[in-house]
PDB file of all heavy atoms in Angstrom:
ATOM      1  N   LEU P  82     113.054 -66.712 -34.006  1.00 98.00           N
ATOM      2  CA  LEU P  82     113.082 -65.418 -34.607  1.00 98.00           C
ATOM      3  C   LEU P  82     114.295 -65.116 -35.563  1.00 98.00           C
ATOM      4  O   LEU P  82     114.085 -64.838 -36.746  1.00 98.00           O
ATOM      5  CB  LEU P  82     113.027 -64.322 -33.498  1.00 98.00           C
ATOM      6  CG  LEU P  82     113.139 -62.885 -34.067  1.00 98.00           C
ATOM      7  CD1 LEU P  82     111.921 -62.542 -34.893  1.00 98.00           C
ATOM      8  CD2 LEU P  82     113.303 -61.876 -32.902  1.00 98.00           C
ATOM      9  N   LEU P  83     115.532 -65.155 -35.046  1.00 98.00           N
ATOM     10  CA  LEU P  83     116.615 -64.667 -35.853  1.00 98.00           C
ATOM     11  C   LEU P  83     116.877 -65.560 -37.075  1.00 98.00           C
ATOM     12  O   LEU P  83     117.128 -65.052 -38.169  1.00 98.00           O
ATOM     13  CB  LEU P  83     117.886 -64.509 -34.971  1.00 98.00           C
ATOM     14  CG  LEU P  83     117.706 -63.524 -33.793  1.00 98.00           C
ATOM     15  CD1 LEU P  83     119.010 -63.427 -32.976  1.00 98.00           C
ATOM     16  CD2 LEU P  83     117.313 -62.143 -34.271  1.00 98.00           C
ATOM     17  N   GLU P  84     116.766 -66.876 -36.905  1.00 98.00           N
ATOM     18  CA  GLU P  84     116.964 -67.780 -38.050  1.00 98.00           C
ATOM     19  C   GLU P  84     115.788 -67.590 -39.032  1.00 98.00           C
ATOM     20  O   GLU P  84     115.976 -67.576 -40.246  1.00 98.00           O
ATOM     21  CB  GLU P  84     117.001 -69.248 -37.589  1.00 98.00           C
ATOM     22  CG  GLU P  84     118.196 -69.571 -36.684  1.00 98.00           C
ATOM     23  CD  GLU P  84     118.077 -69.068 -35.276  1.00 98.00           C
ATOM     24  OE1 GLU P  84     116.936 -68.924 -34.819  1.00 98.00           O
ATOM     25  OE2 GLU P  84     119.129 -68.752 -34.667  1.00 98.00           O
ATOM     26  N   TRP P  85     114.556 -67.509 -38.485  1.00 98.00           N
ATOM     27  CA  TRP P  85     113.353 -67.351 -39.369  1.00 98.00           C
ATOM     28  C   TRP P  85     113.480 -66.064 -40.192  1.00 98.00           C
ATOM     29  O   TRP P  85     113.189 -66.081 -41.387  1.00 98.00           O
ATOM     30  CB  TRP P  85     112.169 -67.324 -38.413  1.00 98.00           C
ATOM     31  CG  TRP P  85     110.842 -66.945 -38.970  1.00 98.00           C
ATOM     32  CD1 TRP P  85     109.996 -67.781 -39.664  1.00 98.00           C
ATOM     33  CD2 TRP P  85     110.151 -65.715 -38.847  1.00 98.00           C
ATOM     34  NE1 TRP P  85     108.820 -67.109 -39.988  1.00 98.00           N
ATOM     35  CE2 TRP P  85     108.934 -65.806 -39.518  1.00 98.00           C
ATOM     36  CE3 TRP P  85     110.445 -64.494 -38.234  1.00 98.00           C
ATOM     37  CZ2 TRP P  85     107.968 -64.820 -39.607  1.00 98.00           C
ATOM     38  CZ3 TRP P  85     109.557 -63.449 -38.314  1.00 98.00           C
ATOM     39  CH2 TRP P  85     108.342 -63.606 -39.017  1.00 98.00           C
ATOM     40  N   LEU P  86     113.941 -64.978 -39.553  1.00 98.00           N
ATOM     41  CA  LEU P  86     114.132 -63.716 -40.324  1.00 98.00           C
ATOM     42  C   LEU P  86     115.106 -63.955 -41.441  1.00 98.00           C
ATOM     43  O   LEU P  86     114.814 -63.600 -42.622  1.00 98.00           O
ATOM     44  CB  LEU P  86     114.629 -62.604 -39.412  1.00 98.00           C
ATOM     45  CG  LEU P  86     113.609 -61.992 -38.437  1.00 98.00           C
ATOM     46  CD1 LEU P  86     114.330 -60.995 -37.507  1.00 98.00           C
ATOM     47  CD2 LEU P  86     112.525 -61.233 -39.177  1.00 98.00           C
ATOM     48  N   ASN P  87     116.236 -64.524 -41.148  1.00 98.00           N
ATOM     49  CA  ASN P  87     117.274 -64.700 -42.191  1.00 98.00           C
ATOM     50  C   ASN P  87     116.893 -65.720 -43.263  1.00 98.00           C
ATOM     51  O   ASN P  87     117.141 -65.481 -44.419  1.00 98.00           O
ATOM     52  CB  ASN P  87     118.587 -65.204 -41.505  1.00 98.00           C
ATOM     53  CG  ASN P  87     119.377 -64.027 -40.998  1.00 98.00           C
ATOM     54  OD1 ASN P  87     119.522 -62.983 -41.679  1.00 98.00           O
ATOM     55  ND2 ASN P  87     119.890 -64.122 -39.780  1.00 98.00           N
ATOM     56  N   ASP P  88     116.272 -66.817 -42.876  1.00 97.00           N
ATOM     57  CA  ASP P  88     115.978 -67.884 -43.822  1.00 97.00           C
ATOM     58  C   ASP P  88     114.735 -67.634 -44.646  1.00 97.00           C
ATOM     59  O   ASP P  88     114.708 -68.054 -45.802  1.00 97.00           O
ATOM     60  CB  ASP P  88     115.798 -69.212 -43.053  1.00 97.00           C
ATOM     61  CG  ASP P  88     117.087 -69.618 -42.378  1.00 97.00           C
ATOM     62  OD1 ASP P  88     118.116 -69.008 -42.653  1.00 97.00           O
ATOM     63  OD2 ASP P  88     117.044 -70.521 -41.530  1.00 97.00           O
ATOM     64  N   TYR P  89     113.734 -66.962 -44.127  1.00 97.00           N
ATOM     65  CA  TYR P  89     112.451 -66.875 -44.816  1.00 97.00           C
ATOM     66  C   TYR P  89     112.047 -65.412 -45.083  1.00 97.00           C
ATOM     67  O   TYR P  89     111.556 -65.089 -46.154  1.00 97.00           O
ATOM     68  CB  TYR P  89     111.333 -67.559 -44.050  1.00 97.00           C
ATOM     69  CG  TYR P  89     111.591 -69.045 -43.865  1.00 97.00           C
ATOM     70  CD1 TYR P  89     112.211 -69.512 -42.708  1.00 97.00           C
ATOM     71  CD2 TYR P  89     111.264 -69.933 -44.879  1.00 97.00           C
ATOM     72  CE1 TYR P  89     112.437 -70.864 -42.539  1.00 97.00           C
ATOM     73  CE2 TYR P  89     111.506 -71.292 -44.711  1.00 97.00           C
ATOM     74  CZ  TYR P  89     112.091 -71.744 -43.559  1.00 97.00           C
ATOM     75  OH  TYR P  89     112.322 -73.079 -43.369  1.00 97.00           O
ATOM     76  N   ILE P  90     112.125 -64.586 -44.038  1.00 98.00           N
ATOM     77  CA  ILE P  90     111.495 -63.277 -44.095  1.00 98.00           C
ATOM     78  C   ILE P  90     112.312 -62.264 -44.916  1.00 98.00           C
ATOM     79  O   ILE P  90     111.808 -61.564 -45.771  1.00 98.00           O
ATOM     80  CB  ILE P  90     111.187 -62.780 -42.678  1.00 98.00           C
ATOM     81  CG1 ILE P  90     110.176 -63.684 -42.062  1.00 98.00           C
ATOM     82  CG2 ILE P  90     110.628 -61.355 -42.701  1.00 98.00           C
ATOM     83  CD1 ILE P  90     108.910 -63.952 -42.801  1.00 98.00           C
ATOM     84  N   PHE P  91     113.622 -62.173 -44.635  1.00 98.00           N
ATOM     85  CA  PHE P  91     114.410 -61.231 -45.389  1.00 98.00           C
ATOM     86  C   PHE P  91     114.366 -61.541 -46.891  1.00 98.00           C
ATOM     87  O   PHE P  91     114.249 -60.625 -47.713  1.00 98.00           O
ATOM     88  CB  PHE P  91     115.841 -61.093 -44.844  1.00 98.00           C
ATOM     89  CG  PHE P  91     115.908 -60.507 -43.442  1.00 98.00           C
ATOM     90  CD1 PHE P  91     116.980 -60.672 -42.595  1.00 98.00           C
ATOM     91  CD2 PHE P  91     114.883 -59.635 -43.043  1.00 98.00           C
ATOM     92  CE1 PHE P  91     117.035 -60.090 -41.359  1.00 98.00           C
ATOM     93  CE2 PHE P  91     114.908 -59.024 -41.754  1.00 98.00           C
ATOM     94  CZ  PHE P  91     116.006 -59.304 -40.897  1.00 98.00           C
ATOM     95  N   PRO P  92     114.511 -62.838 -47.276  1.00 98.00           N
ATOM     96  CA  PRO P  92     114.453 -63.101 -48.708  1.00 98.00           C
ATOM     97  C   PRO P  92     113.075 -62.713 -49.344  1.00 98.00           C
ATOM     98  O   PRO P  92     113.019 -62.214 -50.432  1.00 98.00           O
ATOM     99  CB  PRO P  92     114.625 -64.661 -48.785  1.00 98.00           C
ATOM    100  CG  PRO P  92     115.375 -64.995 -47.540  1.00 98.00           C
ATOM    101  CD  PRO P  92     114.915 -64.009 -46.517  1.00 98.00           C
ATOM    102  N   LEU P  93     111.999 -62.916 -48.556  1.00 98.00           N
ATOM    103  CA  LEU P  93     110.672 -62.543 -49.095  1.00 98.00           C
ATOM    104  C   LEU P  93     110.586 -61.018 -49.208  1.00 98.00           C
ATOM    105  O   LEU P  93     110.140 -60.492 -50.191  1.00 98.00           O
ATOM    106  CB  LEU P  93     109.578 -63.097 -48.179  1.00 98.00           C
ATOM    107  CG  LEU P  93     108.138 -62.607 -48.451  1.00 98.00           C
ATOM    108  CD1 LEU P  93     107.720 -63.008 -49.872  1.00 98.00           C
ATOM    109  CD2 LEU P  93     107.185 -63.224 -47.438  1.00 98.00           C
ATOM    110  N   GLU P  94     111.011 -60.322 -48.146  1.00 98.00           N
ATOM    111  CA  GLU P  94     110.922 -58.826 -48.187  1.00 98.00           C
ATOM    112  C   GLU P  94     111.807 -58.279 -49.290  1.00 98.00           C
ATOM    113  O   GLU P  94     111.475 -57.255 -49.905  1.00 98.00           O
ATOM    114  CB  GLU P  94     111.319 -58.231 -46.833  1.00 98.00           C
ATOM    115  CG  GLU P  94     110.236 -58.549 -45.759  1.00 98.00           C
ATOM    116  CD  GLU P  94     110.376 -57.725 -44.492  1.00 98.00           C
ATOM    117  OE1 GLU P  94     111.224 -56.811 -44.427  1.00 98.00           O
ATOM    118  OE2 GLU P  94     109.599 -58.026 -43.533  1.00 98.00           O
ATOM    119  N   ALA P  95     112.910 -58.960 -49.629  1.00 98.00           N
ATOM    120  CA  ALA P  95     113.789 -58.454 -50.703  1.00 98.00           C
ATOM    121  C   ALA P  95     113.055 -58.426 -52.030  1.00 98.00           C
ATOM    122  O   ALA P  95     113.314 -57.588 -52.882  1.00 98.00           O
ATOM    123  CB  ALA P  95     115.054 -59.354 -50.793  1.00 98.00           C
ATOM    124  N   LYS P  96     112.069 -59.328 -52.217  1.00 98.00           N
ATOM    125  CA  LYS P  96     111.334 -59.363 -53.468  1.00 98.00           C
ATOM    126  C   LYS P  96     110.473 -58.124 -53.676  1.00 98.00           C
ATOM    127  O   LYS P  96     110.049 -57.841 -54.806  1.00 98.00           O
ATOM    128  CB  LYS P  96     110.440 -60.587 -53.509  1.00 98.00           C
ATOM    129  CG  LYS P  96     111.158 -61.916 -53.598  1.00 98.00           C
ATOM    130  CD  LYS P  96     110.164 -63.007 -53.876  1.00 98.00           C
ATOM    131  CE  LYS P  96     110.822 -64.355 -53.763  1.00 98.00           C
ATOM    132  NZ  LYS P  96     109.853 -65.424 -53.720  1.00 98.00           N
ATOM    133  N   PHE P  97     110.240 -57.357 -52.625  1.00 98.00           N
ATOM    134  CA  PHE P  97     109.462 -56.150 -52.744  1.00 98.00           C
ATOM    135  C   PHE P  97     110.154 -54.970 -53.393  1.00 98.00           C
ATOM    136  O   PHE P  97     109.599 -53.904 -53.616  1.00 98.00           O
ATOM    137  CB  PHE P  97     108.914 -55.716 -51.342  1.00 98.00           C
ATOM    138  CG  PHE P  97     107.708 -56.525 -50.929  1.00 98.00           C
ATOM    139  CD1 PHE P  97     107.815 -57.845 -50.635  1.00 98.00           C
ATOM    140  CD2 PHE P  97     106.463 -55.909 -50.895  1.00 98.00           C
ATOM    141  CE1 PHE P  97     106.700 -58.620 -50.276  1.00 98.00           C
ATOM    142  CE2 PHE P  97     105.332 -56.716 -50.564  1.00 98.00           C
ATOM    143  CZ  PHE P  97     105.459 -58.013 -50.230  1.00 98.00           C
ATOM    144  N   SER P  98     111.460 -55.216 -53.770  1.00 98.00           N
ATOM    145  CA  SER P  98     112.115 -54.173 -54.619  1.00 98.00           C
ATOM    146  C   SER P  98     111.529 -54.192 -56.014  1.00 98.00           C
ATOM    147  O   SER P  98     111.631 -53.237 -56.763  1.00 98.00           O
ATOM    148  CB  SER P  98     113.630 -54.503 -54.673  1.00 98.00           C
ATOM    149  OG  SER P  98     113.818 -55.744 -55.302  1.00 98.00           O
ATOM    150  N   GLU P  99     110.864 -55.271 -56.375  1.00 98.00           N
ATOM    151  CA  GLU P  99     110.249 -55.386 -57.671  1.00 98.00           C
ATOM    152  C   GLU P  99     108.846 -54.805 -57.609  1.00 98.00           C
ATOM    153  O   GLU P  99     107.992 -55.296 -56.791  1.00 98.00           O
ATOM    154  CB  GLU P  99     110.255 -56.834 -58.098  1.00 98.00           C
ATOM    155  CG  GLU P  99     110.226 -57.068 -59.579  1.00 98.00           C
ATOM    156  CD  GLU P  99     108.871 -57.480 -60.045  1.00 98.00           C
ATOM    157  OE1 GLU P  99     108.438 -58.513 -59.588  1.00 98.00           O
ATOM    158  OE2 GLU P  99     108.269 -56.729 -60.815  1.00 98.00           O
ATOM    159  N   LYS P 100     108.542 -53.852 -58.431  1.00 98.00           N
ATOM    160  CA  LYS P 100     107.299 -53.089 -58.275  1.00 98.00           C
ATOM    161  C   LYS P 100     106.009 -53.961 -58.349  1.00 98.00           C
ATOM    162  O   LYS P 100     105.122 -53.846 -57.527  1.00 98.00           O
ATOM    163  CB  LYS P 100     107.226 -51.963 -59.288  1.00 98.00           C
ATOM    164  CG  LYS P 100     106.059 -51.043 -59.043  1.00 98.00           C
ATOM    165  CD  LYS P 100     106.061 -49.822 -59.912  1.00 98.00           C
ATOM    166  CE  LYS P 100     104.799 -49.017 -59.633  1.00 98.00           C
ATOM    167  NZ  LYS P 100     104.590 -47.929 -60.563  1.00 98.00           N
ATOM    168  N   ASN P 101     105.957 -54.751 -59.372  1.00 98.00           N
ATOM    169  CA  ASN P 101     104.717 -55.577 -59.582  1.00 98.00           C
ATOM    170  C   ASN P 101     104.489 -56.527 -58.416  1.00 98.00           C
ATOM    171  O   ASN P 101     103.333 -56.700 -57.972  1.00 98.00           O
ATOM    172  CB  ASN P 101     104.797 -56.366 -60.880  1.00 98.00           C
ATOM    173  CG  ASN P 101     104.568 -55.492 -62.058  1.00 98.00           C
ATOM    174  OD1 ASN P 101     103.996 -54.409 -61.916  1.00 98.00           O
ATOM    175  ND2 ASN P 101     105.029 -55.910 -63.227  1.00 98.00           N
ATOM    176  N   PHE P 102     105.563 -57.118 -57.963  1.00 98.00           N
ATOM    177  CA  PHE P 102     105.401 -58.065 -56.797  1.00 98.00           C
ATOM    178  C   PHE P 102     104.914 -57.299 -55.600  1.00 98.00           C
ATOM    179  O   PHE P 102     104.005 -57.759 -54.877  1.00 98.00           O
ATOM    180  CB  PHE P 102     106.759 -58.688 -56.504  1.00 98.00           C
ATOM    181  CG  PHE P 102     106.692 -59.785 -55.450  1.00 98.00           C
ATOM    182  CD1 PHE P 102     106.335 -61.066 -55.801  1.00 98.00           C
ATOM    183  CD2 PHE P 102     106.934 -59.478 -54.124  1.00 98.00           C
ATOM    184  CE1 PHE P 102     106.260 -62.078 -54.870  1.00 98.00           C
ATOM    185  CE2 PHE P 102     106.823 -60.483 -53.173  1.00 98.00           C
ATOM    186  CZ  PHE P 102     106.468 -61.762 -53.501  1.00 98.00           C
ATOM    187  N   ALA P 103     105.434 -56.100 -55.375  1.00 98.00           N
ATOM    188  CA  ALA P 103     105.034 -55.282 -54.224  1.00 98.00           C
ATOM    189  C   ALA P 103     103.550 -54.934 -54.381  1.00 98.00           C
ATOM    190  O   ALA P 103     102.766 -55.009 -53.392  1.00 98.00           O
ATOM    191  CB  ALA P 103     105.903 -54.045 -54.082  1.00 98.00           C
ATOM    192  N   VAL P 104     103.120 -54.500 -55.542  1.00 98.00           N
ATOM    193  CA  VAL P 104     101.732 -54.068 -55.739  1.00 98.00           C
ATOM    194  C   VAL P 104     100.844 -55.259 -55.533  1.00 98.00           C
ATOM    195  O   VAL P 104      99.843 -55.185 -54.735  1.00 98.00           O
ATOM    196  CB  VAL P 104     101.522 -53.460 -57.133  1.00 98.00           C
ATOM    197  CG1 VAL P 104     100.046 -53.268 -57.423  1.00 98.00           C
ATOM    198  CG2 VAL P 104     102.293 -52.142 -57.302  1.00 98.00           C
ATOM    199  N   ASN P 105     101.108 -56.360 -56.184  1.00 98.00           N
ATOM    200  CA  ASN P 105     100.218 -57.525 -56.037  1.00 98.00           C
ATOM    201  C   ASN P 105     100.103 -58.056 -54.619  1.00 98.00           C
ATOM    202  O   ASN P 105      99.029 -58.297 -54.121  1.00 98.00           O
ATOM    203  CB  ASN P 105     100.728 -58.693 -56.928  1.00 98.00           C
ATOM    204  CG  ASN P 105     100.579 -58.337 -58.400  1.00 98.00           C
ATOM    205  OD1 ASN P 105      99.843 -57.406 -58.761  1.00 98.00           O
ATOM    206  ND2 ASN P 105     101.354 -59.018 -59.243  1.00 98.00           N
ATOM    207  N   SER P 106     101.236 -58.120 -53.978  1.00 98.00           N
ATOM    208  CA  SER P 106     101.269 -58.674 -52.596  1.00 98.00           C
ATOM    209  C   SER P 106     100.547 -57.716 -51.629  1.00 98.00           C
ATOM    210  O   SER P 106      99.826 -58.130 -50.707  1.00 98.00           O
ATOM    211  CB  SER P 106     102.653 -58.916 -52.090  1.00 98.00           C
ATOM    212  OG  SER P 106     103.317 -59.820 -52.987  1.00 98.00           O
TER     213      SER P 106
END
Side-chain angles (χ1 to χ4, degrees):
L82 177 66
L83 299 179
E84 295 75 29
W85 171 80
L86 284 173
N87 275 317
D88 296 348
Y89 299 95
I90 297 305
F91 292 157
L93 173 59
E94 292 194 5
K96 292 190 188 167
F97 280 69
S98 61
E99 206 256 298
K100 188 173 175 189
N101 285 339
F102 187 84
V104 170
N105 293 340
S106 302

